[in-house]
Amino acid sequence: MAKLTPMMEQYFEIKNKYKDCILFYRLGDFYEMFYEDALTASKELEITLTGKNCGQEERAPMCGVPFHSCEPYISKLVERGYRVAICEQVEDPKAAKGIVKRDVIRVVTPGTNTMAQSLDETRNNYIMSVFCENELFGVAVCDLSTGEFRTTQVEHQDALFDEMNKFQPSEIICNDGFCICGMDFDFIREKIGAVITPVESYYFETDHCEKMILEQYHLINLDGIGLADYPFGIIASGGLLQYLHETQKTSLSHLMELIPYSTQNYMVLDSSTRRNLELCETLREKSKKGSLLWVLDKTKTAMGARMLRKMVEQPLIHKQSIMERLDAVEMLKDNVMAREELREYMNSIYDLERLTMKISYRSANPRDLISFKTSIKYLPYIKDILAQFSKGLLAKMAEDLDTLEDLYELLEQSIEEDPPIPIKEGGIIKDGFHEEVDHLKKAKTEGKTWLAELEEREREKTGIKNLRVRFNKVFGYYIEVTNSYKDLVPDYYIRRQTLANAERYITEELEELAKTILGAEDKLCALEYELYVDIREKLAAQMDRIQKTAHVIAWIDAFASLALTAEQNGYVRPTINQKGSIDIKEGRHPVVEKMMKGDLFVSNDTLLDHKKNRVNIITGPNMAGKSTYMRQTALIVLMAQIGSFVPAKSASIGLVDRIFTRVGASDDLASGQSTFMVEMSEVANILRNATKDSLLILDEIGRGTSTFDGLSIAWAVVEYIAGSALSGAKTLFATHYHELTELEGKLPGVNNYCIAVQEKGDNIIFLRKIIKGSADKSYGIQVAKLAGVPDQVIERAKEIAQELEQSDITANTKNISRRKDTTEEPVQLSLFDTMGIMPVEMKESPVETELKQADLANMTPIQALNYLYELQKKCR
């Protein structure tokens, strides 16, 4: 076997350490990939596959991307689930003896990708660490791009899945215990969109994890940061720190604080509820427009947008915290002048959190520092405005806001207003900041004047009118003469290069001048780079101050957005009660009313409590607005608990610990589940996890199966919820099974409501108003007519409906009585005790008779098709 070249030996030495990654190997101005990496990358990135002579008989497959524009390529690979190891030259090629030293400086994975082009500035990119042991789970989440780092622990899989839904991590690292705990990894990959990365057991060794946290935060022990109650959270956090250090190969100094949190402080929203309520994206288009976040988000900064999204995704359940937020929103709503001034100043604030990450990684370029300077310029004015507020969160924020004036002055004095992006080519440092820089700049400037004077003198001496003094990196400074004046060139000109239409020369005078000028330029570039790095280090040393300021700005922006939305849309401040009652007057759906033109939206009241109004059964035709009404109730409750004003005339909201929704369904073909199976799985989850403080939104339970089975299930679900099993969870239950309306008066806390409809002959008008009582029919045929179903079908449907009504199997449900039961179990009503259903004698049709007698086993496929066609003709 032929021997590999020294460069390829170095390549394989590094590649063997990162076998699970695509290795971006720096060669000159390109990152090159070889062998399997090249085959994969060329296919995924759609770039040309070439070959390179590596000392073997066959050329090695190779492809590459320019180093200065590598980010889009890396991001594309990472989005497709690959890990990318970036291998850089770690010594100056000019000073290298033999092969330039190279090493991996960073591994990019879905959860550690901080490249601006691949990140949505309005949402966090979380990586999650999960440690599982004895069916207990430690959880840690981190956003490397902002420095957020949080941890908790939970006791069962449903709670863990709720945390995954809350944070939507793009990558999950885990121990072996999690891999064998029985969770559906395919479901997590599909629904959460996370790449699952099992890691070695040493990542989660308790002593090692504690040591990682102590070293990261320079602590003597863990008592001071509130982790005592989260032993599994410590392990998950330490494992995540180990993983981040191994992939980022930096100090991670911007991870300023590890914050433990309790899941008991937030409302639980499962994946179905987040999807059905369209909190941050719509159900079908997956777009922000049409979601609750779209209505509420009037933020001016990327940090504020991320904070508002977190508020929407993590509603609170403690009254005091909610009231503090509502107070802040009310102050900003009432003080229009202060609010608009704050928003105006925030227009100039860039993403401080992600700029801080760049400074921490030492990857911030001069223009990043100018963005940082612009962002902090108006902080003193923002602090002055906040000083107007004497109490509550806004007053505390005024106190906490560090105006960073010393850092602003440093950047104002040192960095040019429009600096270049490269940091080693000069042009960064302002005049007057450093004496030697000023001296070298003067030499460089005067040197150009000297060159211009030399050029003029040589033209006069030689008579060559188009003589030019020029420069390139290969020859330095030279004199260029076109061929038409070649005969006028004097003897003291020394030829350096011959071109097709010109000659290039050097003189002793020009050579001496070039040494002076180039020496000054090289020294100036080196000194400016040195000063720039020092300035960047000074900023990095103030990471804690910068991050706290960014956090305050994010909160102010989010509160100002909620205040502006409340003012523009006519929202009111909700009152928060702990009696468990939800009393909404003239409530509106926040999204639907914005999508409608004019004042067309019809408002409705809602009353739910723990006693006489536990379950509201809602009947009415399709398209009448049942689903909109139920969703609006859930959204108003959620908005109140994030600290927002709500779309209503008035609203008293009893704190809700969970919102469950069972709204619509579709076949989950990927996992082999039918509509009905999906529906029943969601119902099972609700009945298993709801409490007396939960809000349940149930839309048409049982519609995915036969009438008998569907009605039976819907009936039993209402009984279960209304009974003592759930102690009266507040429920809105929409149905087309009008038989369920008989439960009013038979089950405690069950009430009937319907959507008002006005009939005009065969047509109907939806009034969209919720009223007491029940609908006597579903108006399905009229709705079909509105949808444009052909008249022939409509008329036939009417005929069939009349025939079915004459033998209605559910006509006797009014005779259903309470089942006698001496036990203290939840009350059960018998659906069939007094039904008196008699079998109907059916006459067999000729087609059925013929079909029973057919010898299908001996038919060819074409004969079977022809036979089927003949039967079809007989049925017409």
Side-chain angles (χ1 to χ4, degrees):
M1 180 178 175
K3 187 180 179 183
L4 289 168
T5 62
M7 188 206 76
M8 289 309 294
E9 285 181 354
Q10 184 191 59
Y11 169 83
F12 277 113
E13 183 182 342
I14 297 170
K15 175 63 181 174
N16 286 335
K17 297 176 185 175
Y18 297 92
K19 292 180 179 179
D20 59 343
C21 301
I22 292 177
L23 185 65
F24 271 45
Y25 184 80
R26 179 73 179 271
L27 275 178
D29 289 340
F30 280 80
Y31 285 118
E32 303 289 3
M33 287 143 279
F34 299 98
Y35 296 99
E36 290 298 322
D37 287 355
L39 296 173
T40 301
S42 64
K43 181 180 177 182
E44 295 288 358
L45 302 176
E46 298 177 357
I47 55 178
T48 303
L49 183 69
T50 61
K52 183 176 180 66
N53 185 4
C54 299
Q56 296 181 317
E57 292 180 6
E58 293 186 10
R59 288 164 62 83
M62 180 183 83
C63 65
V65 298
F67 86 95
H68 55 78
S69 59
C70 65
E71 288 194 6
Y73 298 104
I74 293 173
S75 296
K76 191 172 183 179
L77 289 171
V78 170
E79 283 168 11
R80 298 187 178 185
Y82 296 100
R83 298 160 62 86
V84 177
I86 302 172
C87 179
E88 276 288 357
Q89 297 169 345
V90 292
E91 68 174 339
D92 187 346
K94 294 176 184 176
K97 295 179 180 178
I99 297 294
V100 178
K101 288 181 182 177
R102 295 178 176 85
D103 201 359
V104 170
I105 61 163
R106 190 174 157 218
V107 177
V108 185
T109 69
T112 62
N113 190 0
T114 57
M115 296 178 179
Q117 291 180 336
S118 63
L119 296 179
D120 179 351
E121 66 173 14
T122 67
R123 66 188 305 166
N124 293 89
N125 181 40
Y126 288 113
I127 180 170
M128 177 177 280
S129 168
V130 179
F131 173 74
C132 174
E133 187 174 278
N134 299 327
E135 298 189 11
L136 293 174
F137 300 91
V139 179
V141 287
C142 177
D143 181 352
L144 266 182
S145 69
T146 66
E148 181 182 351
F149 195 11
R150 306 177 73 188
T151 187
T152 191
Q153 62 186 49
V154 295
E155 296 182 354
H156 51 83
Q157 291 187 11
D158 287 342
L160 175 61
F161 197 65
D162 288 336
E163 293 307 293
M164 291 179 182
N165 279 311
K166 183 189 298 181
F167 291 103
Q168 296 285 308
S170 54
E171 182 177 5
I172 298 172
I173 70 165
C174 58
N175 69 330
D176 292 339
F178 179 69
C179 293
I180 60 173
C181 74
M183 287 196 78
D184 188 341
F185 279 19
D186 290 333
F187 187 77
I188 292 171
R189 291 186 185 101
E190 182 186 346
K191 298 298 183 185
I192 304 295
V195 172
I196 298 174
T197 309
V199 295
E200 298 290 337
S201 59
Y202 74 85
Y203 280 77
F204 296 105
E205 290 175 0
T206 304
D207 292 342
H208 177 68
C209 292
E210 290 182 0
K211 182 183 175 186
M212 291 295 300
I213 297 172
L214 293 174
E215 289 179 354
Q216 177 68 30
Y217 296 105
H218 311 293
L219 300 170
I220 299 172
N221 57 59
L222 298 176
D223 297 339
I225 55 175
L227 290 174
D229 296 332
Y230 304 92
F232 279 33
I234 291 171
I235 298 173
S237 302
L240 183 52
L241 278 174
Q242 176 70 36
Y243 183 78
L244 294 178
H245 277 290
E246 286 189 5
T247 57
Q248 304 310 291
K249 301 182 181 295
T250 184
S251 66
L252 303 175
S253 59
H254 70 302
L255 301 185
M256 296 304 296
E257 189 177 8
L258 175 56
I259 303 173
Y261 71 97
S262 169
T263 56
Q264 305 301 315
N265 293 334
Y266 302 97
M267 181 193 293
V268 177
L269 300 168
D270 62 21
S271 57
S272 296
T273 300
R274 293 173 189 275
R275 188 172 63 249
N276 291 329
L277 294 183
E278 299 182 309
L279 298 183
C280 296
E281 64 181 20
T282 56
L283 202 56
R284 288 193 174 90
E285 289 84 13
K286 305 297 181 186
S287 66
K288 181 181 175 182
K289 184 176 181 181
S291 68
L292 176 64
L293 185 62
W294 169 70
V295 174
L296 299 179
D297 191 358
K298 303 286 189 296
T299 54
K300 291 287 189 177
T301 68
M303 301 169 292
R306 290 194 295 271
M307 181 62 74
L308 186 61
R309 177 184 283 267
K310 277 189 273 193
M311 292 171 71
V312 170
E313 291 184 329
Q314 302 175 38
L316 304 175
I317 59 173
H318 293 306
K319 182 177 179 179
Q320 182 60 34
S321 301
I322 296 169
M323 296 297 286
E324 287 176 353
R325 289 187 182 182
L326 288 170
D327 288 342
V329 173
E330 185 171 36
M331 289 178 191
L332 290 171
K333 179 177 180 289
D334 293 343
N335 195 332
V336 177
M337 187 76 73
R339 184 188 72 225
E340 291 310 309
E341 281 189 71
L342 287 171
R343 286 171 54 78
E344 185 65 32
Y345 285 130
M346 285 185 187
N347 270 329
S348 63
I349 297 179
Y350 291 83
D351 195 339
L352 278 175
E353 289 178 332
R354 288 183 173 166
L355 282 173
T356 303
M357 179 274 300
K358 284 188 169 185
I359 293 169
S360 169
Y361 272 43
R362 278 58 177 177
S363 62
N365 61 47
R367 291 188 187 173
D368 290 329
L369 296 198
I370 291 300
S371 296
F372 178 78
K373 185 186 83 170
T374 305
S375 299
I376 64 176
K377 180 178 182 178
Y378 297 109
L379 292 182
Y381 302 99
I382 292 174
K383 190 177 181 76
D384 288 344
I385 296 169
L386 289 176
Q388 299 175 28
F389 303 102
S390 58
K391 61 181 181 178
L393 288 178
L394 296 182
K396 186 177 186 304
M397 288 175 187
E399 185 181 329
D400 292 346
L401 182 62
D402 187 336
T403 55
L404 306 176
E405 290 173 78
D406 54 328
L407 302 186
Y408 177 80
E409 286 303 318
L410 172 64
L411 294 173
E412 175 67 14
Q413 293 170 11
S414 60
I415 306 295
E416 290 282 2
E417 292 301 324
D418 187 20
I421 293 176
I423 61 177
K424 293 187 177 181
E425 296 179 12
I428 298 171
I429 304 300
K430 273 185 176 181
D431 293 342
F433 179 70
H434 193 275
E435 188 177 342
E436 190 176 350
V437 169
D438 294 344
H439 174 73
L440 291 171
K441 279 184 178 180
K442 187 176 180 183
K444 180 180 173 184
T445 307
E446 289 184 358
K448 289 182 178 178
T449 304
W450 299 336
L451 288 170
E453 291 173 353
L454 182 142
E455 184 179 84
E456 189 59 35
R457 283 200 308 272
E458 290 300 320
R459 282 180 186 170
E460 290 177 3
K461 271 193 212 176
T462 61
I464 301 172
K465 294 179 181 179
N466 63 356
L467 181 148
R468 295 280 186 275
V469 175
R470 292 186 171 170
F471 173 82
N472 67 30
K473 289 184 178 180
V474 178
F475 294 107
Y477 288 102
Y478 55 84
I479 296 170
E480 185 170 285
V481 179
T482 59
N483 289 340
S484 57
Y485 287 95
K486 192 164 61 173
D487 296 339
L488 298 177
V489 172
D491 294 341
Y492 63 86
Y493 276 32
I494 304 165
R495 183 182 285 110
R496 276 292 178 87
Q497 189 181 19
T498 300
L499 303 178
N501 59 354
E503 298 280 348
R504 290 175 175 174
Y505 302 91
I506 189 76
T507 67
E508 289 184 7
E509 183 183 4
L510 179 58
E511 202 164 21
E512 289 298 319
L513 200 57
K515 286 179 183 177
T516 305
I517 295 168
L518 291 177
E521 283 195 19
D522 290 343
K523 287 178 184 176
L524 179 61
C525 290
L527 181 56
E528 286 203 41
Y529 172 71
E530 187 180 315
L531 290 170
Y532 174 76
V533 169
D534 182 59
I535 292 164
R536 194 170 61 188
E537 288 299 320
K538 287 178 180 176
L539 295 179
Q542 304 301 320
M543 201 73 64
D544 188 26
R545 294 172 60 200
I546 298 168
Q547 285 189 321
K548 285 178 179 175
T549 293
H551 195 62
V552 171
I553 293 297
W555 274 115
I556 296 167
D557 196 11
F559 286 145
S561 176
L562 291 176
L564 179 64
T565 303
E567 182 182 76
Q568 290 181 341
N569 298 343
Y571 292 175
V572 299
R573 174 171 177 157
T575 58
I576 306 299
N577 70 73
Q578 292 177 306
K579 299 180 296 183
S581 65
I582 297 173
D583 187 1
I584 301 168
K585 302 296 184 188
E586 297 184 21
R588 313 185 303 277
H589 193 295
V591 180
V592 175
E593 73 165 350
K594 293 296 289 182
M595 302 292 271
M596 297 175 71
K597 295 179 180 178
D599 298 323
L600 298 176
F601 192 88
V602 178
S603 59
N604 279 297
D605 299 347
T606 302
L607 178 61
L608 291 165
D609 57 38
H610 284 324
K611 298 176 182 177
K612 296 181 179 180
N613 300 282
R614 296 204 299 266
V615 181
N616 291 354
I617 294 179
I618 305 166
T619 52
N622 288 313
M623 293 173 58
K626 298 191 300 297
S627 295
T628 298
Y629 168 70
M630 293 194 298
R631 282 188 176 106
Q632 95 182 20
T633 301
L635 287 174
I636 288 172
V637 170
L638 184 139
M639 287 171 69
Q641 291 189 218
I642 71 171
S644 170
F645 282 33
V646 299
K649 185 177 181 181
S650 68
S652 177
I653 306 299
L655 292 174
V656 166
D657 64 351
R658 302 185 66 138
I659 296 177
F660 290 97
T661 63
R662 218 321 304 162
V663 182
S666 59
D667 286 357
D668 192 349
L669 298 179
S671 59
Q673 291 187 322
S674 68
T675 299
F676 185 63
M677 186 62 182
V678 172
E679 178 184 332
M680 288 300 101
S681 297
E682 292 180 2
V683 169
N685 175 56
I686 292 170
L687 299 183
R688 198 169 56 240
N689 293 300
T691 72
K692 68 179 181 64
D693 293 318
S694 300
L695 175 62
L696 279 53
I697 306 297
L698 303 175
D699 191 5
E700 298 187 31
I701 297 295
R703 70 176 180 176
T705 187
S706 68
T707 302
F708 253 148
D709 287 351
L711 175 55
S712 303
I713 290 168
W715 189 291
V717 167
V718 175
E719 280 187 353
Y720 186 82
I721 294 170
S724 61
L726 294 184
S727 301
K730 295 173 284 292
T731 305
L732 296 176
F733 193 107
T735 185
H736 283 291
Y737 296 128
H738 297 140
E739 297 76 20
L740 295 182
T741 60
E742 299 303 317
L743 293 173
E744 184 181 51
K746 296 180 179 179
L747 285 177
V750 175
N751 297 281
N752 290 334
Y753 290 85
C754 65
I755 308 284
V757 173
Q758 184 177 339
E759 292 189 67
K760 284 193 173 181
D762 286 343
N763 297 318
I764 55 171
I765 298 172
F766 300 127
L767 302 180
R768 314 289 186 192
K769 201 71 180 173
I770 297 288
I771 57 175
K772 282 284 287 181
S774 59
D776 54 354
K777 53 184 177 179
S778 289
Y779 300 97
I781 294 173
Q782 287 89 335
V783 173
K785 185 176 181 180
L786 285 174
V789 173
D791 290 343
Q792 183 181 351
V793 175
I794 296 296
E795 293 306 316
R796 177 58 181 152
K798 288 179 182 178
E799 294 172 9
I800 295 170
Q802 288 176 355
E803 292 178 17
L804 292 176
E805 282 174 9
Q806 292 171 6
S807 58
D808 185 2
I809 63 170
T810 59
N812 294 314
T813 53
K814 292 183 180 180
N815 298 324
I816 299 173
S817 60
R818 209 184 268 260
R819 182 205 264 172
K820 292 181 181 179
D821 199 332
T822 57
T823 68
E824 294 184 4
E825 291 296 317
V827 174
Q828 298 287 333
L829 300 185
S830 171
L831 180 61
F832 306 113
D833 282 353
T834 57
M835 291 285 280
I837 297 171
M838 298 297 292
V840 180
E841 187 176 340
M842 300 293 292
K843 185 178 178 182
E844 191 175 84
S845 71
V847 172
E848 286 179 292
T849 304
E850 186 176 341
L851 191 57
K852 284 180 179 179
Q853 295 172 355
D855 186 10
L856 298 177
N858 292 317
M859 288 186 187
T860 65
I862 192 66
Q863 288 173 332
L865 280 173
N866 289 331
Y867 180 68
L868 210 58
Y869 178 70
E870 292 300 322
L871 288 180
Q872 190 180 50
K873 285 202 297 184
K874 290 179 182 179
C875 292
R876 287 174 182 167

